[in-house]
Amino acid sequence: TIIAHIRFFIPNADPTLPMTKYDAAIGISRVIQPQTALCAPGSVYDVATEECKLCPRGTHQLGSTCAPCQPGTFGPQIGLAQCVPCTKGFTNETGALKCEQCPSNTQRPAGTPGLTVLECECVFGSYAKEGAGHACELCPTGAWCEGGLERPVPLSGYWADKECTKEG
């Protein structure tokens, strides 16, 4: 049970530093440092204005600073305590505001980190004509397309010419 709670400030010997905040309760006092500990999650203490400032978009609170979101994550709004993971798309840049979408007929498999377009694979019913990281083509008539990076497999009564590398 707290009988009394007192908060007071003591000027610092160095005028460029903020005043030191003290809390006292039931005769016990403690120094609260850094002042960011008094700010809401997603914000940091600004010594110049002596106020808590929300971390900008593309960043998150990391200790007493706002740090850029790492590749695979993004910061769509101000005041984030943690960056948001890219669950469907990807981002390969630091400080991203949004995730990029995978190309047409592709998706990123679960469990991949979302760092590059090369993680985007063909969905079921399509195939990678140009390889990883490109839009996938719909499966041709008479073929089975598993998706991923697999080539079309001919159905019964159809065949594939493995020597043929061009359409037409």
Side-chain angles (χ1 to χ4, degrees):
T1 305
I2 295 177
I3 299 170
H5 180 253
I6 302 168
R7 176 170 286 163
F8 56 97
F9 300 84
I10 297 179
N12 201 310
D14 182 348
T16 63
L17 296 175
M19 290 192 259
T20 303
K21 292 184 182 186
Y22 286 90
D23 272 19
I26 316 175
I28 299 173
S29 66
R30 60 185 170 95
V31 177
I32 300 177
Q33 289 285 354
Q35 277 77 5
T36 296
L38 300 174
C39 298
S43 60
V44 295
Y45 187 77
D46 184 339
V47 176
T49 63
E50 296 183 357
E51 296 177 344
C52 293
K53 299 276 182 161
L54 292 171
C55 290
R57 293 177 65 209
T59 69
H60 68 106
Q61 180 192 351
L62 183 62
S64 60
T65 63
C66 294
C69 294
Q70 294 301 303
T73 66
F74 68 109
Q77 63 193 42
I78 62 171
L80 291 178
Q82 294 181 11
C83 293
V84 180
C86 290
T87 55
K88 295 189 178 193
F90 66 95
T91 177
N92 57 1
E93 61 185 60
T94 300
L97 303 180
K98 65 183 181 89
C99 292
E100 301 298 323
Q101 292 184 350
C102 284
S104 179
N105 295 322
T106 68
Q107 66 183 7
R108 208 181 89 226
T112 57
L115 303 176
T116 173
V117 68
L118 297 176
E119 295 174 45
C120 300
E121 296 181 355
C122 298
V123 297
F124 180 81
S126 65
Y127 70 101
K129 182 176 178 182
E130 296 181 43
H134 297 281
C136 292
E137 301 289 326
L138 293 177
C139 198
T141 302
W144 171 267
C145 296
E146 185 66 36
L149 297 176
E150 300 297 320
R151 303 292 294 166
V153 176
L155 296 173
S156 179
Y158 293 86
W159 69 92
D161 182 354
K162 294 182 182 180
E163 300 298 318
C164 182
T165 58
K166 293 184 180 178
E167 287 186 30

